[in-house]
Amino acid sequence: MSVFHDAERRLWLLRTPHSSYALRLDDGDCPRAVHWGAPLTLEQAAEIVAPAPRDISSFHGGPSDPELPAQTGASFGPASLQVRFADGAGGVEWRFDGHEIDGGHLRLRLADRHYPLAITLHYRVREDSDVIERWTELSHTGQGEPIEVQRCDSASWSPPRGTRLSHVVGAWSAENQLVREELPVGETVLTSRRGATSHQANPWLMLDDGTATEEQGEVWSAALAWSGSWRITVQRTPFDGVVFTGGAGHEGLRTHLGPGETWTSPVFSGLYGTAGFGGVSHAWHAHVLEHVLPHPQELRPIVYNSWEATWFDVNVDGQLALAKLAASAGAELFVLDDGWFGARVNDWAGLGDWTVNRDRFPQGLGQLIEGVHAYGMRFGLWVEPEMVNPDSDLYRAHPDWVIHMPNRTRTTMRNQLVLNFGRPDVAAWAHEWLDRLVSEHEIDFLKWDFNRSFTEGGWPDSGDPDRLWDAHVRNLYALLDRLRADHPHLRIEGCSGGGGRVDLGMLARVDEVWTSDNTDAVDRVSIQHGFTQVYPVRAMAAWVTDSPNPLTRRLVPLRFRFHVAMAGVLALGGNLTRWSQEELAEAADLVAQYRLIRPVVQHGVVHRLTPPDAPVVGVQYSLGEQVVVFAYRVNTRFGHAPWPLRLRGLDPEARYRDDDTGAEHSGAVLLAHGLPLDRLPRGDYASLVVRLTRM
Ligand code: DGJ
């Protein structure tokens, strides 16, 4: 049993393997946090006596904070739930209506005392995960006027400590830059107002008391499963109380809940751990593999993607030439990127016209697909279904299909506009052509791109224009779910100009994600470091591209480029027709090496051995008896020999043999002293992969 109830004290306790979460109802039926942290029994949780703070501010922090602050009474913190009724009243006066426990799922049924609003708080725990999933359901249970919903977060969380905040910031081509900083007193907002998850921030956070390390210490973390705009507000009081609330949508949106309607928030999951940031990452990875990703046990194929080779200049002969080289380098799946359809010969035209460009592919896609198959690879195709160029037949026929506002300029970004997937006709159109495309061709893989943010976020004539932000994401999810169900062989790569739409909502519907448009191996080290804080390596696509890198113009040796990409889901993305015979041979050799370590990298436990800017960066993967260690030195400083890399998670009693050299190491020495890096080449851009097997 994982959910316990003390009816007399109106207390509930949820247990995960290594944590527990308790809440209770106060005298006014308001659900309040009691405990989030180490495992407690129901009896122990009952000892935590909290005042019923109906006359104090919600800035109080700590135990007894509302589970969903709703602007009731003397509550001045950021509200999780903001509603407005037709007579002008706002807030919620709670009434408890009962609860249900169904395995690990607790439903707490509440309602407003005076207005026809039912609020169900959901909690779900599982026996094999420390993640506690929480979400909220709102229902209009009456007749008459709609209820205005100004905000409805999925959950508010009250960790008992949390004066340091870890999260990621970034930009296009610079995603997932980890920031670990003292949480300021006041309110800190992490958000995206872009209609998508964003490159700038990502909807997860970790809190600790300033003492946690990669390996030790209590960490409270949370991640939101939502791929649209979002907001997480963290509040720290001068007395170190910490509360955070998060959910879909940015500030200022207003939607209406009509009589009989129910709205369900996305899931905002929390996870507590005592083994530092690394331990929390491991628990998130295990959870995502077990409960989020669609086919977690599969090994991701080695993709070749031709984007950085041919950009928009695609045609059947050029792609077949690349396919031949890619196959001989060891690629297993060939992806034709942008430029294969309509008038899409650059990014100015054709987006939305999803018919094969017959000038470029005179016999349709079939000729290329057959050629790719003949080279022993599967075939994948790029699509960007949610977008349209104004210069397209689609836009000329349906100018009203895009997200827009009356009397406002339709701002283009990358010369494109966003189709309003909230509209059922637009979603149906997209399903129709995608289903046809996948049915008529042997397509095993779609790269699903999304290359701009929402602007002029309106939906004229809908009567409820802000619904767009929610409806777009839900219809996108429904479309992906339906395509996958109807085409079970289909695998999907999520992409948004690189990593602009990576979150637990998207990871439930795609098999991997394109981590960043920045394929420079040096920049990738920190991007990958940030990515793995919550998301698993199994989903982190990493291409080896050309040198100089097309974006940064940095010259980086092939081996270093490979070694960085081999720490994720290795793929090739360079213009192989310009690679020398030696480079192609070295690439084939490195791809073959990756095949050997792929199960360990993709399914193992990842240990970030150093910060991403260490003189020698180390990353370790362990699976069963196998250990793989990557070491990277970008710049040599002073010519000193590198320190040994201390490994993690090994058996100190065991011995480990280096698969390449036969050298033997004791686990105790690898843990305490470290792995000698004498095989790391001298100089800049030096890298090394060490494979160890437990003897
Ligand atoms: C952005 C993606 O991130 C790139 O990999 C590529 O697919 C382009 N879009 C194509 O337009």
Side-chain angles (χ1 to χ4, degrees), residues 55-111:
D55 58 349
I56 63 169
S57 143
S58 72
F59 278 97
H60 175 65
S64 89
D65 275 325
E67 290 287 271
L68 203 70
Q71 295 189 305
T72 318
S75 161
F76 308 104
S80 303
L81 179 60
Q82 282 176 277
V83 289
R84 182 71 65 184
F85 301 98
D87 62 4
V92 173
E93 291 193 359
W94 299 92
R95 188 189 72 222
F96 179 54
D97 261 354
H99 80 277
E100 283 103 38
I101 296 171
D102 176 8
H105 186 175
L106 165 66
R107 275 185 215 87
L108 215 55
R109 287 188 288 103
L110 298 139

Side-chain angles (χ1 to χ4, degrees), residues 172 305 307 312 337-338 344 382 384 414 447 449 451 495-498 514 516-517 543:
W172 172 79
N305 179 303
W307 173 243
F312 284 106
D337 211 280
D338 202 346
R344 184 79 169 169
W382 179 93
E384 194 179 7
R414 208 193 187 208
K447 175 177 173 183
D449 211 342
N451 276 304
C495 175
S496 171
W514 181 222
S516 177
D517 276 348
W543 302 351

Side-chain angles (χ1 to χ4, degrees), residues 217-257:
E218 289 186 295
V219 178
W220 290 262
S221 64
L224 181 71
W226 188 244
S227 311
S229 284
W230 56 273
R231 191 180 76 187
I232 299 173
T233 307
V234 196
Q235 184 189 27
R236 176 180 175 183
T237 72
F239 313 105
D240 292 346
V242 175
V243 178
F244 62 91
T245 177
H250 51 268
E251 78 289 344
L253 301 179
R254 303 240 180 308
T255 54
H256 296 86
L257 196 63

Side-chain angles (χ1 to χ4, degrees), residues 147 525 588 630:
I147 300 167
V525 172
F630 292 90

Side-chain angles (χ1 to χ4, degrees), residues 572-594:
L572 306 175
N575 189 348
L576 301 181
T577 63
R578 299 214 184 119
W579 290 21
S580 67
Q581 287 307 317
E582 293 71 37
E583 284 176 317
L584 289 170
E586 191 182 357
D589 187 43
L590 287 157
V591 168
Q593 285 181 34
Y594 182 69

